[in-house]
Amino acid sequence: MEKVALKDSSYQLKRAKILNIKKLTDKEKFFEIALMDRDYLDHEPGQFIMISLLGIGEVPISICSSPTRRDSFDICVRAVGKVTNKLHKLKTGDEVGIRGPYGKGFPVRILEGNDLLIIAGGLGLAPLRSLITYVLDNRRDFGKVHILFGCKEPKEILFSDEMKKWSERTDLHYACTVDRADPEWAGNVGVITTLIPGVDIEPSRTFAAVVGPPVMYNFVIKELLAKGIPERQILLSFERHMKCGNGKCGRCQIQNLYCCQDGPVFNYEKIKYLSEAF
Amino acid sequence: MQHHTSYVILKKERFDDFISSLSRMQKLVAPVAKGFNNYSFEEVHSAKNIALKYIPTILPAKKFFMPQRETLLEYRVSKHVKAEAVVEYEKMTIFGLHTCDLAGIQCLNMVFSERPKDYNYLTRKNKITLIGLECNEYCDEYASCHLVNASFPSGGYDLFFTDLGDYFIVHVNTLTGERILDITNCFEKSSEANLNELYRMREKKRKIFSNEIPIKSRHIPELFDRSFRSLVWKELDERCLACGNCTNVCPTCYCFDIKEEVDLSLMHGIRYRVWDSCQLEPFAKISGGINFRKERSARQRHRYYRKFRYPIDKFSRFFCTGCGRCTRTCMAGISLKETLNELLKESEDRLWRRWL
């Protein structure tokens, strides 16, 4: 048996350094990361990377910053498994391995000139933050922008500082809801679908971008269709387990599609017939 | 005539010489009898160890192209990320591949050549020489190679042997094949009579290899389009043991898991991939515990669709080679031909009901 180095391997890692860490909630942390060797990630909003901790493992994580900022990128990580728990223990200056970016993100060139209805459930805000910050950095290229966010409890709210800023902006409409309120909560209570009927949109020129837990999709899609948004203008990002990111390992397959290569962002019109998607 | 030059013959009395000479060139692998009608691709040095008449081996030749366990990355465990992608390979010749197994390798070639290319597979594939061996009749009742157009040779080999009694007629398909002829020096020119004998054998074979399942292969994708909600899957739900045997022995199954291992010094580690199976319960689970293919019926259905429907759009071919391994190995007696027959029957019943 012979062994040789494989320079072109898609499994080769890029070195990256953690520049900044912030605690967002009890379970979620925010990491600002930069590739070393003066490399740029060059992603599109909605894409993901594979992040490696050598000796522990590798996981797919959505990029949550806009590609308009090139020197570094952000991820938001919930501690749920071996790798993500260890990630939470890392410090500023520590190194991680990166592969990617992978997948098809939000088609920003197509979205330009249209109105946007962005709907985020819980951690679904992370991939959508890459789109939101992109849109805000190129605000003049887009029409009206609505952002709806929902989560279970107020203490689960991610990026609350940024949300506060969004809610103060006059050039976008922001609404937020929680399933269960606590005594300090003054906002809306109810599932995220309760926010949709009240949004004033012109359906023919509105694109909806939806990311959230699996249970959310069916209900949200129903509301969006009731609102009159055409199927082809509903964009959904799916979460699946991924091991390779190259469309080979088979983990993330939704019927005939690979989430890692054909998605994670899909056009509802093209996938509505896939029962394994919902 | 031009095509004469691409066919040569090997007399049976020179077969021993050929195999010995071949095994001296580089590692030689061929089907070996393991008892109880089981066969395995293993290293051989002499012709007497080779089973020329054999039913498909327990594991297909994919074990050489995509080893059950394979290192992808080697690294040092340190504060700095120092990792190197690697490929392990071995030069070898595989002798005696049936047309179903050659079809399986062609499927894997397509998958791993698709971008992003898998250089681990492709590097290894470049180092392996393939010599086919024709089945003049069925290996057993589980085979359905004719249904999926894999019963006759259609490329994907360097040399291809057909047994014509006293001699083999050999198709030379590549430069590597020609090189083997030169080095082993056991072959003779073929004559018009030899080729005629090959055509006669193929004519006879065409009559034997037919009607495995009462459907034309071009209608199979439609059958599957109609069968996603079929009750046949529900039936499999009750029988399937979710052991993953069917996917392990399948020549076109290539799903894998990626794992990590650090040695005892805690200094060096490797990242490696191992065969995985869509039939195992955690395969389609995501964080939070939601499983997108929780039912065994859904997992079996997924397996069949990955053979007969999904690859049609992407690769324009079935990812079933009709080798019958999944049926032979299934502990619950789930039979591929039976499942296809049941889908067909159910689908026809539905069509009839619409007419009545």
Side-chain angles (χ1 to χ4, degrees):
Chain A
M1 191 77 80
E2 292 187 53
K3 193 190 310 185
V4 293
L6 203 53
K7 243 176 53 205
D8 299 326
S9 168
S10 48
Y11 296 102
Q12 186 62 53
L13 303 177
K14 291 180 207 158
R15 291 170 67 194
K17 195 176 228 159
I18 299 177
L19 301 182
N20 192 8
I21 303 174
K22 264 190 291 195
K23 194 176 164 189
L24 294 177
T25 69
D26 289 348
K27 283 183 293 184
E28 280 105 4
K29 269 188 178 177
F30 166 90
F31 298 83
E32 186 188 345
I33 298 173
L35 292 179
M36 294 161 83
D37 309 323
R38 290 194 211 143
D39 206 355
Y40 296 127
L41 192 61
D42 275 337
H43 66 286
E44 44 184 78
Q47 281 192 303
F48 68 95
I49 49 162
M50 300 295 290
I51 186 158
S52 279
L53 296 177
L54 293 179
I56 307 200
E58 193 178 40
V59 284
I61 304 274
S62 296
I63 304 157
C64 69
S65 55
S66 161
T68 38
R69 195 185 80 213
R70 281 167 59 83
D71 291 336
S72 66
F73 61 92
D74 304 336
I75 56 171
C76 168
V77 180
R78 178 179 287 174
V80 282
K82 220 168 41 176
V83 179
T84 48
N85 270 302
K86 179 70 185 178
L87 253 172
H88 271 229
K89 295 199 177 78
L90 294 186
K91 305 253 172 326
T92 304
D94 284 347
E95 278 185 28
V96 292
I98 302 285
R99 291 198 283 134
Y102 288 114
K104 293 192 173 59
F106 293 100
V108 284
R109 288 279 168 269
I110 293 172
L111 302 182
E112 277 174 12
N114 293 288
D115 294 348
L116 294 180
L117 172 55
I118 295 167
I119 301 176
L123 197 51
L125 183 65
L128 281 172
R129 182 175 174 266
S130 67
L131 177 66
I132 295 169
T133 46
Y134 178 88
V135 169
L136 297 183
D137 285 349
N138 300 279
R139 187 63 192 87
R140 276 182 301 180
D141 297 337
F142 298 88
K144 287 178 189 159
V145 176
H146 307 269
I147 300 171
L148 309 182
F149 173 74
C151 62
K152 284 192 196 115
E153 295 171 85
K155 65 172 186 178
E156 286 183 3
I157 293 179
L158 306 163
F159 304 111
S160 43
D161 298 352
E162 281 167 57
M163 284 197 189
K164 192 159 173 290
K165 279 184 199 145
W166 298 343
S167 67
E168 284 161 2
R169 284 178 77 132
T170 52
D171 59 352
L172 64 86
H173 161 236
Y174 168 83
C176 172
T177 185
V178 295
D179 294 354
R180 290 183 298 273
D182 60 16
E184 284 122 72
W185 181 253
N188 196 70
V189 179
V191 291
I192 194 156
T193 42
T194 58
L195 294 179
I196 300 172
V199 182
D200 180 24
I201 56 159
E202 199 184 308
S204 65
R205 51 167 296 155
T206 301
F207 275 82
V210 187
V211 192
V215 60
M216 191 181 99
Y217 289 98
N218 282 326
F219 297 103
V220 167
I221 290 163
K222 219 170 132 189
E223 287 296 334
L224 293 176
L225 294 174
K227 203 82 183 146
I229 297 181
E231 286 174 348
R232 64 175 180 282
Q233 286 169 216
I234 300 176
L235 305 166
L236 313 163
S237 179
F238 287 117
E239 182 197 355
R240 289 294 186 277
H241 207 44
M242 294 166 190
K243 289 287 181 174
C244 72
N246 300 328
K248 311 272 194 265
C249 79
R251 289 278 175 151
C252 68
Q253 207 177 357
I254 303 173
Q255 271 139 285
N256 58 337
L257 299 174
Y258 281 90
C259 217
C260 68
Q261 293 273 314
D262 303 310
V265 176
F266 293 98
N267 178 325
Y268 178 63
E269 190 182 42
K270 294 209 175 117
I271 51 143
K272 63 174 179 180
Y273 64 94
L274 298 181
S275 60
E276 284 184 358
F278 303 102
Chain B
M1 271 158 67
Q2 185 59 45
H3 61 274
H4 275 212
T5 57
S6 60
Y7 281 94
V8 292
I9 63 167
L10 176 71
K11 292 211 170 107
K12 286 269 175 82
E13 61 259 32
R14 302 297 307 275
F15 186 64
D16 280 357
D17 291 346
F18 167 68
I19 291 296
S20 311
S21 170
L22 200 58
S23 81
R24 279 194 298 273
M25 284 170 67
Q26 60 187 28
K27 180 176 175 175
L28 175 65
V29 161
V32 171
K34 305 301 284 180
F36 303 100
N37 206 23
N38 287 320
Y39 298 87
S40 167
F41 282 118
E42 285 176 14
E43 183 165 10
V44 294
H45 297 284
S46 120
K48 70 173 194 292
N49 298 328
I50 298 178
L52 277 175
K53 208 170 153 35
Y54 74 102
I55 66 163
T57 50
I58 304 165
L59 288 178
K62 93 174 165 190
K63 70 179 182 181
F64 300 113
F65 291 83
M66 189 195 170
Q68 203 268 329
R69 182 189 154 114
E70 169 186 7
T71 305
L72 299 172
L73 200 68
E74 292 183 335
Y75 53 80
R76 264 174 64 102
V77 181
S78 69
K79 274 181 84 80
H80 304 292
V81 174
K82 268 193 193 143
E84 187 174 55
V86 293
V87 55
E88 292 165 326
Y89 65 86
E90 194 172 15
K91 278 189 176 160
M92 66 171 87
T93 306
I94 308 179
F95 173 85
L97 290 153
H98 286 161
T99 46
C100 58
D101 277 352
L102 289 167
I105 296 164
Q106 286 175 319
C107 289
L108 295 183
N109 289 348
M110 293 180 105
V111 168
F112 290 113
S113 305
E114 233 204 348
R115 282 171 201 280
K117 291 185 179 194
D118 190 288
Y119 290 102
N120 286 73
Y121 175 91
L122 294 174
T123 306
R124 207 173 297 106
K125 193 214 143 227
N126 262 331
K127 309 288 179 190
I128 301 179
T129 304
L130 298 174
I131 303 179
L133 175 64
E134 183 146 14
C135 302
N136 299 8
E137 49 198 39
Y138 274 122
C139 49
D140 63 19
E141 72 273 24
Y142 301 124
S144 56
C145 46
H146 175 72
L147 179 78
V148 293
N149 315 313
S151 51
F152 285 82
S154 63
Y157 51 78
D158 296 293
L159 292 175
F160 190 81
F161 278 54
T162 304
D163 191 334
L164 291 178
D166 297 336
Y167 66 95
F168 294 100
I169 189 159
V170 179
H171 182 232
V172 187
N173 198 34
T174 62
L175 287 172
T176 307
E178 276 180 27
R179 213 171 62 88
I180 292 174
L181 300 192
D182 287 344
I183 295 175
T184 56
N185 199 24
C186 298
F187 296 83
E188 293 167 33
K189 276 187 179 159
S190 65
S191 68
E192 191 78 37
N194 300 137
L195 279 174
N196 285 338
E197 210 169 334
L198 176 64
Y199 296 146
R200 276 199 297 279
M201 193 288 285
R202 293 259 167 91
E203 273 313 306
K204 221 164 85 189
K205 183 174 161 180
R206 237 168 235 121
K207 290 193 185 96
I208 308 170
F209 285 70
S210 64
N211 293 333
E212 288 152 358
I213 290 157
I215 185 172
K216 291 227 161 54
S217 58
R218 67 171 184 275
H219 294 136
I220 291 180
E222 288 166 44
L223 171 68
F224 276 81
D225 282 340
R226 290 195 297 268
S227 301
F228 201 78
R229 312 236 168 258
S230 165
L231 294 173
V232 174
W233 310 124
K234 272 267 154 288
E235 245 167 73
L236 295 188
D237 190 276
E238 284 154 31
R239 288 165 65 190
C240 177
L241 300 166
C243 66
N245 275 359
C246 51
T247 56
N248 277 337
V249 301
C250 179
T252 74
C253 273
Y254 56 87
C255 287
F256 56 84
D257 194 1
I258 297 182
K259 295 185 177 195
E260 205 96 350
E261 195 174 270
V262 179
D263 69 16
L264 283 174
S265 72
L266 302 181
M267 297 287 285
H268 300 276
I270 57 164
R271 178 168 293 166
Y272 61 99
R273 67 177 168 200
V274 286
W275 295 354
D276 204 343
S277 170
C278 61
Q279 298 307 298
L280 305 181
E281 200 264 342
F283 190 76
K285 221 180 222 176
I286 64 166
S287 59
I290 296 156
N291 192 342
F292 284 90
R293 254 176 256 115
K294 205 166 114 204
E295 310 293 326
R296 288 174 195 193
S297 56
R299 303 209 289 272
Q300 277 288 342
R301 175 176 65 193
H302 185 67
R303 176 169 80 89
Y304 277 93
Y305 274 74
R306 278 196 65 143
K307 305 295 150 200
F308 292 103
R309 189 61 195 94
Y310 304 150
I312 305 295
D313 297 337
K314 213 167 183 178
F315 303 110
S316 305
R317 68 183 295 158
F318 295 116
F319 265 47
C320 173
T321 70
C323 67
R325 284 187 178 91
C326 54
T327 309
R328 269 178 227 110
T329 196
C330 182
M331 299 194 287
I334 294 171
S335 150
L336 182 122
K337 279 163 90 172
E338 212 176 276
T339 307
L340 292 180
N341 267 319
E342 281 166 20
L343 288 175
L344 196 58
K345 191 175 166 299
E346 192 195 67
S347 171
E348 277 167 1
D349 287 351
R350 266 203 312 267
L351 284 177
W352 272 113
R353 271 203 300 279
R354 217 187 296 161
W355 281 98
L356 292 173

